Amino acid sequence: MTHRATQLMTLPELADRATADFKQALGRDPPWIAAAPGRVNLIGEHTDYNDGFVFPMAIERYTVVAAAPNGLRQITLRSASVEGVATVDLTQPLRPGPKGHWANYPRGVIAGFLARGLTPVGFDAVINSTVPLGGGLSSSASLEVATATLLEAVTGRKLDPVEKALLCQKAEHDYAGMPCGIMDQFISTLGRENHLLLLDCRSRRFELVPMADPSVAVLITNTNVKHELTGSEYPTRRRQCETAATALGVPALRDASAALLEQNQNRLEEVIFRRARHVIGEIARTAQAADAVRRRNWAQVGRLMFASHDSLREDYEVSCAELDAVVEIARDLGPAGGVIGCRMTGGGFGGCTVALVETRAVEAVMQKIRADYARKTGLEPTMFVTRPAQGATLLRD
Ligand code: GLA
């Protein structure tokens, strides 16, 4: 999906675009339009599959699915920017399509509805998105959640939101082969305007923490690189965390303290020790950051963000030169230059950084990052400011 033309569209504008694209492709109006946002994680990275805490927000970048019934027992899926039509035959058992194909995300979600006995009528759908693809802002989760939201309208059955997020997570596991945690699908489903969401990934209880201070802006910088390690390294990290938890005698790293880890250092392989140290430290930082946001102690939030990045780079080893370059530029600017904190966000090995910036300094910070990042890496970053956005919505049904 390309986002050149759509990058700066508001949600209503994107819905208009989706309607126009649908009309052009299929010659009629779409009675259903569903949308779901991408996300950025302020802090709490690689903690979700350790039963820990995450602290993300939905962003003002969305995937929109427009659809109309077709009177057949099949679903057709078109992407506004990729040639071709993917078809789902509702009379046959559903299976994943070719590895890496974008339609696997909606296919997996359709499979989740079928597994619950919720069979939709046949329909045609066209997908538009302003979430940068593969940029670490959960373009795939937004596609899954938008599809699930559309299917709620088509089947007339609204799912419990947590069940909906879990259904989408399972689609990602089974149809895209990515053993992700629950964070991305959860925030895309349950995000709230002007709020961060503190999620306990074990109990799935969450708290919406207001984030509407006009003096602080969330700046996202896309390094515009994606190292191919992402796919293979993620499951390895998951396994290393399980190894650490088993060695420490706890159900998940969530249950281990820094002291327990220290006591057992000699019994752990060095790399496993460092992985566990990141996760245990990051879970603590996430709780502290939530507390600091509640008290609007931005300086403290910023320190925790930088510490998170260092831990992800040194102990968890999921950063890369380009992410480090952005964070170093931000760190050099520091409070005097209007930067409160900055870190990589998402799975790592490329994608985006998230920074908290004094609103009055946003333009200057963007200019500096753009210039220095180009000098250091020879690459152009993409940057934008976003407020915490609303989770999935049905725009038309
Ligand atoms: C990816 C996964 C999430 C989470 C992050 C790292 O975005 O989809 O579940 O594990 O990486 O925090």
Side-chain angles (χ1 to χ4, degrees):
M1 274 164 267
T2 153
H3 1 264
R4 257 184 331 254
T6 52
Q7 189 124 47
L8 295 171
M9 281 187 195
T10 62
L11 185 53
E13 286 165 352
L14 186 57
D16 287 347
R17 161 63 63 90
T19 306
D21 285 352
F22 188 95
K23 265 187 169 162
Q24 202 191 351
L26 293 141
R28 61 195 198 280
D29 252 323
W32 298 303
I33 301 181
R39 65 97 186 92
V40 71
N41 189 20
L42 193 72
I43 195 164
E45 217 66 83
H46 289 279
T47 50
D48 59 355
Y49 53 83
N50 289 294
D51 277 1
F53 288 85
V54 292
F55 200 28
M57 63 183 229
I59 59 173
E60 296 161 308
R61 292 287 184 281
Y62 304 87
T63 297
V64 167
V65 189
N70 59 18
L72 306 170
R73 298 207 57 200
Q74 73 169 27
I75 295 170
T76 69
L77 303 160
R78 289 171 172 80
S79 152
S81 50
V82 185
E83 285 292 310
V85 185
T87 305
V88 175
D89 183 343
L90 290 169
T91 65
Q92 299 295 317
L94 207 51
R95 282 198 198 82
K99 199 170 152 39
H101 197 281
W102 63 269
N104 281 332
Y105 301 107
R107 289 177 86 85
V109 173
I110 296 164
F113 273 74
L114 296 178
R116 283 165 177 75
L118 300 171
T119 306
V121 296
F123 62 86
D124 301 319
V126 175
I127 298 156
N128 269 270
S129 186
T130 53
V131 188
L133 268 202
L137 299 176
S138 295
S139 51
S140 53
S142 71
L143 175 52
E144 290 151 6
V145 175
T147 305
T149 307
L150 177 82
L151 286 168
E152 288 179 318
V154 175
T155 59
R157 270 286 295 279
K158 225 169 146 39
L159 301 178
D160 165 77
V162 176
E163 186 194 350
K164 181 172 162 183
L166 289 167
L167 183 159
C168 291
Q169 181 196 24
K170 186 168 161 50
E172 180 111 13
H173 288 186
D174 297 352
Y175 277 70
M178 158 68 173
C180 63
I182 189 60
M183 168 168 70
D184 306 344
Q185 292 78 10
F186 201 98
I187 186 66
S188 184
T189 305
L190 281 142
R192 177 83 57 84
E193 233 175 25
N194 294 324
H195 288 78
L196 289 156
L197 187 151
L198 178 67
L199 173 64
D200 178 338
C201 298
R202 172 172 279 165
S203 68
R204 301 189 190 108
R205 273 198 283 274
F206 65 96
E207 178 193 337
L208 290 161
V209 181
M211 165 88 186
D213 185 339
S215 69
V216 176
V218 175
L219 173 66
I220 293 171
T221 302
N222 192 341
T223 60
N224 287 326
V225 296
K226 187 183 180 208
H227 297 294
E228 281 315 318
L229 285 171
T230 325
S232 55
E233 294 287 312
Y234 189 93
T236 306
R237 293 298 178 287
R238 268 199 91 139
R239 273 198 305 278
Q240 290 170 331
C241 290
E242 284 159 19
T243 304
T246 307
L248 295 173
V250 290
L253 285 178
R254 152 75 174 271
D255 305 296
S257 63
L260 180 71
L261 180 64
E262 292 297 328
Q263 284 155 25
N264 286 278
Q265 180 163 6
N266 297 338
R267 297 179 43 237
L268 296 177
E269 234 181 274
E270 193 263 348
V271 64
I272 301 292
F273 172 78
R274 284 190 290 114
R275 301 296 188 252
R277 183 164 63 185
H278 164 71
V279 172
I280 294 167
E282 185 77 354
I283 292 172
R285 278 187 291 274
T286 306
Q288 290 161 15
D291 210 46
V293 170
R294 282 186 209 107
R295 290 182 284 106
R296 294 197 180 193
N297 184 348
W298 301 117
Q300 173 67 358
V301 180
R303 282 191 289 273
L304 292 162
M305 290 173 77
F306 282 124
S308 165
H309 186 79
D310 293 343
S311 174
L312 287 157
R313 187 189 61 223
E314 296 295 323
D315 277 351
Y316 218 62
E317 295 178 284
V318 291
S319 188
C320 62
E322 294 83 358
L323 288 165
D324 293 344
V326 177
V327 174
E328 283 322 303
I329 299 162
R331 207 191 297 258
D332 286 348
L333 277 166
V339 173
I340 300 164
C342 182
R343 55 181 289 278
M344 57 155 278
T345 189
F349 303 106
C352 293
T353 63
V354 56
L356 281 187
V357 176
E358 304 268 358
T359 304
R360 54 170 179 76
V362 163
E363 283 306 319
V365 170
M366 284 172 74
Q367 262 181 32
K368 178 78 175 158
I369 292 179
R370 191 180 299 285
D372 287 8
Y373 182 71
R375 197 166 41 69
K376 285 188 179 196
T377 64
L379 297 166
E380 284 255 346
T382 312
M383 280 180 275
F384 64 93
V385 168
T386 180
R387 285 152 50 103
Q390 188 64 34
T393 44
L394 205 52
L395 301 170
R396 206 190 269 184
D397 72 339

PDB file of all heavy atoms in Angstrom, residues 39 41 44-49 54 136 138 140 169 172 178-185 234 312 343-348, ligand 1:
ATOM      1  N   ARG A  39      -0.069   2.375  15.865  1.00  0.00           N
ATOM      2  CA  ARG A  39       0.235   2.731  17.251  1.00  0.00           C
ATOM      3  C   ARG A  39       1.703   3.108  17.396  1.00  0.00           C
ATOM      4  O   ARG A  39       2.547   2.766  16.569  1.00  0.00           O
ATOM      5  CB  ARG A  39      -0.061   1.572  18.201  1.00  0.00           C
ATOM      6  CG  ARG A  39       0.793   0.319  18.015  1.00  0.00           C
ATOM      7  CD  ARG A  39       1.984   0.218  18.953  1.00  0.00           C
ATOM      8  NE  ARG A  39       2.837  -0.919  18.643  1.00  0.00           N
ATOM      9  CZ  ARG A  39       3.870  -0.847  17.831  1.00  0.00           C
ATOM     10  NH1 ARG A  39       4.195   0.280  17.257  1.00  0.00           N
ATOM     11  NH2 ARG A  39       4.612  -1.922  17.576  1.00  0.00           N
ATOM     12  N   ASN A  41       4.532   3.003  20.730  1.00  0.00           N
ATOM     13  CA  ASN A  41       4.668   2.604  22.125  1.00  0.00           C
ATOM     14  C   ASN A  41       5.614   3.580  22.814  1.00  0.00           C
ATOM     15  O   ASN A  41       6.766   3.720  22.414  1.00  0.00           O
ATOM     16  CB  ASN A  41       5.228   1.173  22.184  1.00  0.00           C
ATOM     17  CG  ASN A  41       5.186   0.610  23.591  1.00  0.00           C
ATOM     18  OD1 ASN A  41       4.431   1.090  24.445  1.00  0.00           O
ATOM     19  ND2 ASN A  41       5.988  -0.413  23.849  1.00  0.00           N
ATOM     20  N   GLY A  44       7.995   0.313  27.296  1.00  0.00           N
ATOM     21  CA  GLY A  44       7.505  -1.041  27.600  1.00  0.00           C
ATOM     22  C   GLY A  44       7.685  -1.885  26.352  1.00  0.00           C
ATOM     23  O   GLY A  44       6.721  -2.373  25.770  1.00  0.00           O
ATOM     24  N   GLU A  45       8.966  -2.068  25.953  1.00  0.00           N
ATOM     25  CA  GLU A  45       9.235  -2.764  24.690  1.00  0.00           C
ATOM     26  C   GLU A  45       9.722  -4.183  24.948  1.00  0.00           C
ATOM     27  O   GLU A  45      10.590  -4.404  25.801  1.00  0.00           O
ATOM     28  CB  GLU A  45      10.286  -1.968  23.907  1.00  0.00           C
ATOM     29  CG  GLU A  45      10.058  -1.974  22.420  1.00  0.00           C
ATOM     30  CD  GLU A  45       8.770  -1.246  22.035  1.00  0.00           C
ATOM     31  OE1 GLU A  45       8.794  -0.009  21.924  1.00  0.00           O
ATOM     32  OE2 GLU A  45       7.742  -1.926  21.848  1.00  0.00           O
ATOM     33  N   HIS A  46       9.144  -5.115  24.204  1.00  0.00           N
ATOM     34  CA  HIS A  46       9.440  -6.546  24.353  1.00  0.00           C
ATOM     35  C   HIS A  46       9.083  -7.026  25.764  1.00  0.00           C
ATOM     36  O   HIS A  46       9.743  -7.893  26.322  1.00  0.00           O
ATOM     37  CB  HIS A  46      10.902  -6.854  23.999  1.00  0.00           C
ATOM     38  CG  HIS A  46      11.158  -6.721  22.516  1.00  0.00           C
ATOM     39  ND1 HIS A  46      10.842  -7.717  21.626  1.00  0.00           N
ATOM     40  CD2 HIS A  46      11.649  -5.700  21.787  1.00  0.00           C
ATOM     41  CE1 HIS A  46      11.154  -7.305  20.390  1.00  0.00           C
ATOM     42  NE2 HIS A  46      11.628  -6.091  20.457  1.00  0.00           N
ATOM     43  N   THR A  47       8.055  -6.442  26.307  1.00  0.00           N
ATOM     44  CA  THR A  47       7.561  -6.870  27.618  1.00  0.00           C
ATOM     45  C   THR A  47       6.224  -7.598  27.496  1.00  0.00           C
ATOM     46  O   THR A  47       5.846  -8.340  28.397  1.00  0.00           O
ATOM     47  CB  THR A  47       7.355  -5.652  28.546  1.00  0.00           C
ATOM     48  OG1 THR A  47       6.589  -4.676  27.828  1.00  0.00           O
ATOM     49  CG2 THR A  47       8.679  -5.035  28.957  1.00  0.00           C
ATOM     50  N   ASP A  48       5.509  -7.387  26.372  1.00  0.00           N
ATOM     51  CA  ASP A  48       4.127  -7.925  26.321  1.00  0.00           C
ATOM     52  C   ASP A  48       4.093  -9.448  26.370  1.00  0.00           C
ATOM     53  O   ASP A  48       3.276 -10.033  27.085  1.00  0.00           O
ATOM     54  CB  ASP A  48       3.302  -7.352  25.145  1.00  0.00           C
ATOM     55  CG  ASP A  48       3.858  -7.587  23.755  1.00  0.00           C
ATOM     56  OD1 ASP A  48       4.977  -8.137  23.638  1.00  0.00           O
ATOM     57  OD2 ASP A  48       3.171  -7.218  22.777  1.00  0.00           O
ATOM     58  N   TYR A  49       5.037 -10.094  25.651  1.00  0.00           N
ATOM     59  CA  TYR A  49       5.046 -11.573  25.676  1.00  0.00           C
ATOM     60  C   TYR A  49       5.753 -12.123  26.920  1.00  0.00           C
ATOM     61  O   TYR A  49       5.973 -13.319  27.023  1.00  0.00           O
ATOM     62  CB  TYR A  49       5.643 -12.133  24.374  1.00  0.00           C
ATOM     63  CG  TYR A  49       6.996 -11.579  24.002  1.00  0.00           C
ATOM     64  CD1 TYR A  49       8.162 -12.099  24.566  1.00  0.00           C
ATOM     65  CD2 TYR A  49       7.102 -10.531  23.091  1.00  0.00           C
ATOM     66  CE1 TYR A  49       9.406 -11.587  24.224  1.00  0.00           C
ATOM     67  CE2 TYR A  49       8.344 -10.010  22.752  1.00  0.00           C
ATOM     68  CZ  TYR A  49       9.490 -10.545  23.317  1.00  0.00           C
ATOM     69  OH  TYR A  49      10.716 -10.027  22.975  1.00  0.00           O
ATOM     70  N   VAL A  54       2.893  -2.582  29.050  1.00  0.00           N
ATOM     71  CA  VAL A  54       3.233  -1.744  27.894  1.00  0.00           C
ATOM     72  C   VAL A  54       2.457  -0.432  28.040  1.00  0.00           C
ATOM     73  O   VAL A  54       1.459  -0.371  28.762  1.00  0.00           O
ATOM     74  CB  VAL A  54       2.882  -2.423  26.549  1.00  0.00           C
ATOM     75  CG1 VAL A  54       3.776  -3.634  26.307  1.00  0.00           C
ATOM     76  CG2 VAL A  54       1.412  -2.828  26.492  1.00  0.00           C
ATOM     77  N   GLY A 136       7.157  -0.266  11.723  1.00  0.00           N
ATOM     78  CA  GLY A 136       7.143  -0.448  13.171  1.00  0.00           C
ATOM     79  C   GLY A 136       6.015   0.303  13.855  1.00  0.00           C
ATOM     80  O   GLY A 136       6.022   0.496  15.066  1.00  0.00           O
ATOM     81  N   SER A 138       2.795  -0.718  13.441  1.00  0.00           N
ATOM     82  CA  SER A 138       1.684  -1.678  13.469  1.00  0.00           C
ATOM     83  C   SER A 138       0.713  -1.530  12.308  1.00  0.00           C
ATOM     84  O   SER A 138      -0.504  -1.535  12.496  1.00  0.00           O
ATOM     85  CB  SER A 138       0.925  -1.597  14.797  1.00  0.00           C
ATOM     86  OG  SER A 138       1.753  -1.996  15.828  1.00  0.00           O
ATOM     87  N   SER A 140       0.238  -3.853  10.236  1.00  0.00           N
ATOM     88  CA  SER A 140      -0.472  -5.133  10.133  1.00  0.00           C
ATOM     89  C   SER A 140      -1.592  -5.238  11.170  1.00  0.00           C
ATOM     90  O   SER A 140      -2.703  -5.658  10.843  1.00  0.00           O
ATOM     91  CB  SER A 140       0.491  -6.311  10.237  1.00  0.00           C
ATOM     92  OG  SER A 140       1.277  -6.211  11.391  1.00  0.00           O
ATOM     93  N   GLN A 169      -4.697 -11.010  17.140  1.00  0.00           N
ATOM     94  CA  GLN A 169      -3.357 -11.511  17.465  1.00  0.00           C
ATOM     95  C   GLN A 169      -3.177 -12.934  16.921  1.00  0.00           C
ATOM     96  O   GLN A 169      -2.150 -13.283  16.346  1.00  0.00           O
ATOM     97  CB  GLN A 169      -3.142 -11.499  18.983  1.00  0.00           C
ATOM     98  CG  GLN A 169      -1.753 -11.992  19.404  1.00  0.00           C
ATOM     99  CD  GLN A 169      -1.674 -12.349  20.882  1.00  0.00           C
ATOM    100  OE1 GLN A 169      -2.692 -12.662  21.524  1.00  0.00           O
ATOM    101  NE2 GLN A 169      -0.483 -12.292  21.435  1.00  0.00           N
ATOM    102  N   GLU A 172      -2.467 -12.985  13.301  1.00  0.00           N
ATOM    103  CA  GLU A 172      -1.056 -12.676  13.028  1.00  0.00           C
ATOM    104  C   GLU A 172      -0.184 -13.915  13.276  1.00  0.00           C
ATOM    105  O   GLU A 172       0.718 -14.218  12.492  1.00  0.00           O
ATOM    106  CB  GLU A 172      -0.627 -11.505  13.926  1.00  0.00           C
ATOM    107  CG  GLU A 172       0.795 -11.097  13.746  1.00  0.00           C
ATOM    108  CD  GLU A 172       0.966  -9.726  13.101  1.00  0.00           C
ATOM    109  OE1 GLU A 172      -0.009  -8.953  13.000  1.00  0.00           O
ATOM    110  OE2 GLU A 172       2.107  -9.438  12.700  1.00  0.00           O
ATOM    111  N   MET A 178       3.872 -14.668  12.627  1.00  0.00           N
ATOM    112  CA  MET A 178       4.622 -13.769  13.523  1.00  0.00           C
ATOM    113  C   MET A 178       4.110 -13.959  14.955  1.00  0.00           C
ATOM    114  O   MET A 178       2.948 -13.631  15.254  1.00  0.00           O
ATOM    115  CB  MET A 178       4.418 -12.322  13.033  1.00  0.00           C
ATOM    116  CG  MET A 178       4.654 -11.230  14.051  1.00  0.00           C
ATOM    117  SD  MET A 178       6.375 -11.072  14.549  1.00  0.00           S
ATOM    118  CE  MET A 178       6.272  -9.584  15.561  1.00  0.00           C
ATOM    119  N   PRO A 179       4.946 -14.514  15.846  1.00  0.00           N
ATOM    120  CA  PRO A 179       4.474 -14.834  17.208  1.00  0.00           C
ATOM    121  C   PRO A 179       4.438 -13.611  18.112  1.00  0.00           C
ATOM    122  O   PRO A 179       5.072 -13.581  19.163  1.00  0.00           O
ATOM    123  CB  PRO A 179       5.505 -15.859  17.691  1.00  0.00           C
ATOM    124  CG  PRO A 179       6.762 -15.473  16.982  1.00  0.00           C
ATOM    125  CD  PRO A 179       6.353 -14.893  15.649  1.00  0.00           C
ATOM    126  N   CYS A 180       3.677 -12.586  17.705  1.00  0.00           N
ATOM    127  CA  CYS A 180       3.658 -11.305  18.416  1.00  0.00           C
ATOM    128  C   CYS A 180       2.953 -11.407  19.763  1.00  0.00           C
ATOM    129  O   CYS A 180       2.209 -12.355  20.021  1.00  0.00           O
ATOM    130  CB  CYS A 180       2.956 -10.256  17.550  1.00  0.00           C
ATOM    131  SG  CYS A 180       1.233 -10.667  17.229  1.00  0.00           S
ATOM    132  N   GLY A 181       3.175 -10.403  20.596  1.00  0.00           N
ATOM    133  CA  GLY A 181       2.416 -10.256  21.838  1.00  0.00           C
ATOM    134  C   GLY A 181       1.075  -9.606  21.536  1.00  0.00           C
ATOM    135  O   GLY A 181       0.661  -9.517  20.373  1.00  0.00           O
ATOM    136  N   ILE A 182       0.430  -9.085  22.596  1.00  0.00           N
ATOM    137  CA  ILE A 182      -0.937  -8.568  22.443  1.00  0.00           C
ATOM    138  C   ILE A 182      -0.976  -7.044  22.251  1.00  0.00           C
ATOM    139  O   ILE A 182      -2.008  -6.477  21.879  1.00  0.00           O
ATOM    140  CB  ILE A 182      -1.802  -8.986  23.664  1.00  0.00           C
ATOM    141  CG1 ILE A 182      -3.285  -8.664  23.464  1.00  0.00           C
ATOM    142  CG2 ILE A 182      -1.284  -8.353  24.956  1.00  0.00           C
ATOM    143  CD1 ILE A 182      -3.942  -9.333  22.294  1.00  0.00           C
ATOM    144  N   MET A 183       0.156  -6.372  22.441  1.00  0.00           N
ATOM    145  CA  MET A 183       0.129  -4.902  22.481  1.00  0.00           C
ATOM    146  C   MET A 183      -0.525  -4.242  21.268  1.00  0.00           C
ATOM    147  O   MET A 183      -1.415  -3.394  21.422  1.00  0.00           O
ATOM    148  CB  MET A 183       1.556  -4.358  22.624  1.00  0.00           C
ATOM    149  CG  MET A 183       1.640  -2.851  22.389  1.00  0.00           C
ATOM    150  SD  MET A 183       3.182  -2.127  22.880  1.00  0.00           S
ATOM    151  CE  MET A 183       4.321  -2.772  21.674  1.00  0.00           C
ATOM    152  N   ASP A 184      -0.083  -4.607  20.070  1.00  0.00           N
ATOM    153  CA  ASP A 184      -0.471  -3.833  18.884  1.00  0.00           C
ATOM    154  C   ASP A 184      -1.969  -3.935  18.604  1.00  0.00           C
ATOM    155  O   ASP A 184      -2.641  -2.932  18.339  1.00  0.00           O
ATOM    156  CB  ASP A 184       0.321  -4.311  17.662  1.00  0.00           C
ATOM    157  CG  ASP A 184       1.820  -4.280  17.901  1.00  0.00           C
ATOM    158  OD1 ASP A 184       2.244  -3.625  18.873  1.00  0.00           O
ATOM    159  OD2 ASP A 184       2.554  -4.916  17.122  1.00  0.00           O
ATOM    160  N   GLN A 185      -2.481  -5.147  18.654  1.00  0.00           N
ATOM    161  CA  GLN A 185      -3.908  -5.354  18.371  1.00  0.00           C
ATOM    162  C   GLN A 185      -4.759  -4.742  19.483  1.00  0.00           C
ATOM    163  O   GLN A 185      -5.855  -4.234  19.219  1.00  0.00           O
ATOM    164  CB  GLN A 185      -4.202  -6.860  18.239  1.00  0.00           C
ATOM    165  CG  GLN A 185      -3.578  -7.522  17.014  1.00  0.00           C
ATOM    166  CD  GLN A 185      -2.095  -7.825  17.168  1.00  0.00           C
ATOM    167  OE1 GLN A 185      -1.531  -7.717  18.250  1.00  0.00           O
ATOM    168  NE2 GLN A 185      -1.450  -8.215  16.075  1.00  0.00           N
ATOM    169  N   TYR A 234      12.842 -12.024  16.342  1.00  0.00           N
ATOM    170  CA  TYR A 234      11.749 -11.879  17.309  1.00  0.00           C
ATOM    171  C   TYR A 234      11.443 -13.203  18.029  1.00  0.00           C
ATOM    172  O   TYR A 234      11.437 -13.251  19.265  1.00  0.00           O
ATOM    173  CB  TYR A 234      10.513 -11.303  16.599  1.00  0.00           C
ATOM    174  CG  TYR A 234       9.397 -10.901  17.524  1.00  0.00           C
ATOM    175  CD1 TYR A 234       9.292  -9.599  18.002  1.00  0.00           C
ATOM    176  CD2 TYR A 234       8.444 -11.818  17.929  1.00  0.00           C
ATOM    177  CE1 TYR A 234       8.266  -9.227  18.853  1.00  0.00           C
ATOM    178  CE2 TYR A 234       7.418 -11.452  18.782  1.00  0.00           C
ATOM    179  CZ  TYR A 234       7.325 -10.154  19.239  1.00  0.00           C
ATOM    180  OH  TYR A 234       6.308  -9.801  20.083  1.00  0.00           O
ATOM    181  N   LEU A 312      17.571  -1.615  25.274  1.00  0.00           N
ATOM    182  CA  LEU A 312      17.196  -2.339  24.041  1.00  0.00           C
ATOM    183  C   LEU A 312      18.411  -2.503  23.123  1.00  0.00           C
ATOM    184  O   LEU A 312      18.553  -3.508  22.423  1.00  0.00           O
ATOM    185  CB  LEU A 312      16.072  -1.592  23.309  1.00  0.00           C
ATOM    186  CG  LEU A 312      14.711  -1.694  23.994  1.00  0.00           C
ATOM    187  CD1 LEU A 312      13.802  -0.540  23.580  1.00  0.00           C
ATOM    188  CD2 LEU A 312      14.045  -3.024  23.653  1.00  0.00           C
ATOM    189  N   ARG A 343      13.473   7.219  22.035  1.00  0.00           N
ATOM    190  CA  ARG A 343      13.863   5.804  22.025  1.00  0.00           C
ATOM    191  C   ARG A 343      13.319   5.144  20.768  1.00  0.00           C
ATOM    192  O   ARG A 343      12.437   5.697  20.100  1.00  0.00           O
ATOM    193  CB  ARG A 343      13.307   5.088  23.262  1.00  0.00           C
ATOM    194  CG  ARG A 343      11.798   5.239  23.415  1.00  0.00           C
ATOM    195  CD  ARG A 343      11.271   4.547  24.654  1.00  0.00           C
ATOM    196  NE  ARG A 343      11.338   3.121  24.478  1.00  0.00           N
ATOM    197  CZ  ARG A 343      10.444   2.376  23.830  1.00  0.00           C
ATOM    198  NH1 ARG A 343       9.353   2.932  23.311  1.00  0.00           N
ATOM    199  NH2 ARG A 343      10.586   1.103  23.714  1.00  0.00           N
ATOM    200  N   MET A 344      13.875   3.971  20.450  1.00  0.00           N
ATOM    201  CA  MET A 344      13.257   3.171  19.387  1.00  0.00           C
ATOM    202  C   MET A 344      11.902   2.680  19.878  1.00  0.00           C
ATOM    203  O   MET A 344      11.671   2.557  21.078  1.00  0.00           O
ATOM    204  CB  MET A 344      14.138   1.988  18.984  1.00  0.00           C
ATOM    205  CG  MET A 344      14.495   1.039  20.108  1.00  0.00           C
ATOM    206  SD  MET A 344      14.899  -0.645  19.562  1.00  0.00           S
ATOM    207  CE  MET A 344      13.262  -1.373  19.382  1.00  0.00           C
ATOM    208  N   THR A 345      10.998   2.402  18.945  1.00  0.00           N
ATOM    209  CA  THR A 345       9.668   1.926  19.327  1.00  0.00           C
ATOM    210  C   THR A 345       9.292   0.740  18.462  1.00  0.00           C
ATOM    211  O   THR A 345       9.680   0.681  17.297  1.00  0.00           O
ATOM    212  CB  THR A 345       8.635   3.062  19.224  1.00  0.00           C
ATOM    213  OG1 THR A 345       7.396   2.640  19.783  1.00  0.00           O
ATOM    214  CG2 THR A 345       8.400   3.515  17.793  1.00  0.00           C
ATOM    215  N   GLY A 346       8.589  -0.229  19.038  1.00  0.00           N
ATOM    216  CA  GLY A 346       8.198  -1.419  18.272  1.00  0.00           C
ATOM    217  C   GLY A 346       9.252  -2.508  18.363  1.00  0.00           C
ATOM    218  O   GLY A 346      10.121  -2.483  19.236  1.00  0.00           O
ATOM    219  N   GLY A 347       9.184  -3.452  17.438  1.00  0.00           N
ATOM    220  CA  GLY A 347      10.029  -4.645  17.492  1.00  0.00           C
ATOM    221  C   GLY A 347      11.514  -4.354  17.327  1.00  0.00           C
ATOM    222  O   GLY A 347      12.348  -5.029  17.909  1.00  0.00           O
ATOM    223  N   GLY A 348      11.876  -3.352  16.520  1.00  0.00           N
ATOM    224  CA  GLY A 348      13.272  -2.983  16.344  1.00  0.00           C
ATOM    225  C   GLY A 348      13.833  -3.332  14.978  1.00  0.00           C
ATOM    226  O   GLY A 348      13.077  -3.602  14.044  1.00  0.00           O
TER     227      GLY A 348
HETATM  228  C1  GLA B   1       6.050  -6.038  17.913  1.00  0.00           C
HETATM  229  C2  GLA B   1       5.012  -7.035  18.426  1.00  0.00           C
HETATM  230  C3  GLA B   1       4.485  -6.606  19.788  1.00  0.00           C
HETATM  231  C4  GLA B   1       5.623  -6.303  20.766  1.00  0.00           C
HETATM  232  C5  GLA B   1       6.651  -5.388  20.123  1.00  0.00           C
HETATM  233  C6  GLA B   1       7.858  -5.186  20.993  1.00  0.00           C
HETATM  234  O1  GLA B   1       5.431  -4.809  17.650  1.00  0.00           O
HETATM  235  O2  GLA B   1       3.942  -7.147  17.525  1.00  0.00           O
HETATM  236  O3  GLA B   1       3.631  -7.604  20.302  1.00  0.00           O
HETATM  237  O4  GLA B   1       6.207  -7.489  21.233  1.00  0.00           O
HETATM  238  O5  GLA B   1       7.088  -5.873  18.863  1.00  0.00           O
HETATM  239  O6  GLA B   1       7.522  -4.499  22.143  1.00  0.00           O
END
